[in-house]
């Protein structure tokens, strides 16, 4: 089976398993786990932020970030295709009382700056108070598009004019950096906070980091605890995360090359509709004819052919390349795709 459902299916490497087995541990809620502290220090260094916080998941990283930036009844401006809006159960609203204000995501994952500007609330008792702008990089539902530093700087400039903060959901920020050939720090510099995942393309089993200013992370640590995310001998997780950051970022370009090859092959198939030029990282979305077989039926047929993909709409599916998927796997997968889609 060639599993292209998500880069979350990646398994920890041998080096990660060894590091986990021999990790030096302590009680991290008491601030005494040296391996967690080392991971947080490395994450802060790589992102160029003052401090970082290890949390169990990307969803919790975003929730903690929003809770730390916004109070109840305050508003976050975010894209209508944002993971935070689409796939996190509306947690910032249900848990934090934070009001979401969506603006359309463009196909490249950006939000038009004039639309964001027009969405910032005036000081009027009818309105919630705008507190935060949230961006996503790479943008999952927008073909995995990377947002460049120039765009992030423009968002930050607008935010500064209105005394707003900027949070970046950087679940795949290392993919963005690899695709744009810039450093993660270049992408993180304009924003106040960012989250990123160890457990996707970087292949660690568990964990995300929240990064930002020291006082922000101090409050984020309190919010992690109230959500039940304070972990004790968490060095066992952090040990794999350290290997992920040291050994697994340079190879992401392989995933991007495989995704582009996959997209080019798929685009030649009669029933698959996509523009391979939009595939800059490791995510390939394929649209199907609305009159033809549904995404669910197509996914089932592909599974019978030995390829797993994920339905993302009634007539759309997604294929994601990752560690463990080779160039040969892509060629094999394309033969299976051809039997269903050509
Ligand atoms: C996967 C993902 C998350 C959430 O990560 P989990 O660890 O699955 O909770 C957040 N944002 C984006 C863009 C993602 O793709």
């Amino acid at each position: 089976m060639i599993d292209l459902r998500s880069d979350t299916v990646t398994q920890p490497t041998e080096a990660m398993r060894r590091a986990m087995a021999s990790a030096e541990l302590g009680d991290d809620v008491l601030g005494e786990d040296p391996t967690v502290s080392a991971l947080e220090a490395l994450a802060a260094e790589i992102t160029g932020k003052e401090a970082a916080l290890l949390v169990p998941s990307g969803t919790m990283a975003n929730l903690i970030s929003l809770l730390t930036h916004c109070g109840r009844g305050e508003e976050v401006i975010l894209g209508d295709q944002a993971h935070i809006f689409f796939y996190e159960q509306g947690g910032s609203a249900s848990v934090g009382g934070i009001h979401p204000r969506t603006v359309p995501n463009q196909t490249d994952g950006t939000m038009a700056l004039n639309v964001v500007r027009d969405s910032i609330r005036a000081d009027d008792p009818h309105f919630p108070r705008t507190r935060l702008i949230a961006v996503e990089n790479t943008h999952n539902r927008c073909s995995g598009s990377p947002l460049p530093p120039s765009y992030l700087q423009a968002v930050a400039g607008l935010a500064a004019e209105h005394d707003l903060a900027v949070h970046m959901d950087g679940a795949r920020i290392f993919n963005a950096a690899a695709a744009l050939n810039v450093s993660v720090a270049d992408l993180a510099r304009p924003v106040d906070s960012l989250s990123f995942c160890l457990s996707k393309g970087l292949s660690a089993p568990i964990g995300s980091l929240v990064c930002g200013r020291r006082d922000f992370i101090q409050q984020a640590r309190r919010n992690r605890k109230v959500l039940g995310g304070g972990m004790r001998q968490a060095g066992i997780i952090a040990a794999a995360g350290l290997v992920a950051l040291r050994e697994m970022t340079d190879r992401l370009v392989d995933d991007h090359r495989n995704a582009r090859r996959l997209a080019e092959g798929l685009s030649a198939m009669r029933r698959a509709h996509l523009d391979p030029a939009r595939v800059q990282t490791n995510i390939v979305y394929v649209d199907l004819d609305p009159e033809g077989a549904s995404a669910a039926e197509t996914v089932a047929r592909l599974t019978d052919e030995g390829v797993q993909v994920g339905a993302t709409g009634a007539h759309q599916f997604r294929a994601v390349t990752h560690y463990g998927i080779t160039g040969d796997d892509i060629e094999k997968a394309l033969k299976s795709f051809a039997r269903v889609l050509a």
Side-chain angles (χ1 to χ4, degrees):
M1 198 54 93
I2 298 173
D3 192 346
L4 302 174
R5 287 172 301 168
S6 177
D7 45 10
T8 56
V9 303
T10 45
Q11 299 269 328
T13 64
E14 278 309 313
M16 288 177 190
R17 290 174 188 270
R18 280 197 304 275
M20 292 171 82
S22 62
E24 220 185 306
L25 305 175
D27 187 330
D28 182 56
V29 174
L30 305 181
E32 293 174 4
D33 189 302
T35 311
V36 172
S37 300
L39 175 64
E40 291 176 344
L42 182 60
E45 184 190 323
I46 290 171
T47 57
K49 295 300 184 197
E50 287 177 6
L53 180 72
L54 175 66
V55 303
S57 70
T59 299
M60 193 188 281
N62 284 330
L63 178 55
I64 286 172
S65 298
L66 266 61
L67 288 172
T68 307
H69 282 297
C70 307
R72 298 189 73 80
E74 294 182 336
E75 196 163 70
V76 54
I77 296 173
L78 78 179
D80 63 353
Q81 300 301 311
H83 193 281
I84 293 175
F85 182 67
F86 227 92
Y87 292 125
E88 299 183 10
Q89 259 191 49
S92 57
S94 64
V95 177
I98 300 164
H99 197 247
R101 177 80 181 272
T102 56
V103 306
N105 276 119
Q106 307 178 106
T107 55
D108 64 356
T110 61
M111 301 176 276
L113 286 178
N114 60 318
V115 181
V116 174
R117 179 181 287 108
D118 292 347
S119 303
I120 298 169
R121 303 283 193 167
D123 187 2
D124 178 318
H126 293 89
F127 298 152
R129 233 187 259 286
T130 310
R131 188 62 74 195
L132 180 68
I133 301 171
V135 296
E136 184 174 316
N137 199 8
T138 65
H139 202 294
N140 186 334
R141 285 182 59 85
C142 296
S143 305
S145 299
L147 308 185
S150 55
Y151 176 74
L152 299 170
Q153 285 154 11
V155 171
L158 177 60
E161 277 171 39
H162 296 270
D163 207 18
L164 308 178
V166 180
H167 172 69
M168 179 159 67
D169 175 354
R172 296 187 180 81
I173 198 66
F174 288 89
N175 295 84
L180 298 167
N181 203 18
V182 298
S183 70
V184 167
D186 288 337
L187 296 170
R189 196 167 297 116
V191 304
D192 298 284
S193 64
L194 75 152
S195 56
F196 70 82
C197 291
L198 297 167
S199 58
K200 294 188 170 168
L202 301 186
S203 310
I206 305 168
S208 289
L209 276 298
V210 179
C211 309
R213 279 173 41 160
R214 204 173 311 283
D215 56 341
F216 178 87
I217 294 300
Q218 202 175 348
Q219 183 57 36
R221 194 174 293 278
R222 284 186 61 82
N223 288 333
R224 181 184 68 173
K225 190 74 175 83
V226 78
L227 294 176
M231 299 177 285
R232 302 296 177 172
Q233 285 70 37
I236 209 149
I237 295 170
L242 282 164
V243 176
L245 293 181
R246 288 178 181 143
E247 298 182 9
M248 300 300 284
T249 61
D250 288 350
R251 58 158 304 285
L252 293 172
V253 291
D254 300 344
D255 297 340
H256 299 175
R257 190 178 335 100
N258 285 335
R260 180 61 79 92
R261 167 72 191 121
L262 182 65
E264 281 163 1
L266 282 165
S267 69
M269 297 178 194
R270 192 173 49 87
R271 292 192 48 230
H273 304 292
L274 68 154
D275 177 2
R278 283 185 53 199
V279 177
Q280 294 180 65
T281 62
N282 67 328
I283 303 180
V284 181
Y285 281 92
V286 178
D287 289 310
L288 302 166
D289 298 314
E291 325 70 66
S294 70
E297 288 161 349
T298 305
V299 167
R301 287 197 55 200
L302 286 167
T303 303
D304 291 340
E305 294 286 346
V307 177
Q308 287 176 287
V309 297
T312 46
H315 299 281
Q316 186 191 61
F317 69 82
R318 185 186 83 157
V320 183
T321 57
H322 52 78
Y323 177 63
I325 297 293
T326 64
D328 283 350
D329 290 330
I330 296 299
E331 299 309 322
K332 257 171 69 184
L334 280 169
K335 292 200 177 81
S336 301
F337 279 116
R339 286 192 283 274
V340 178
L341 298 173

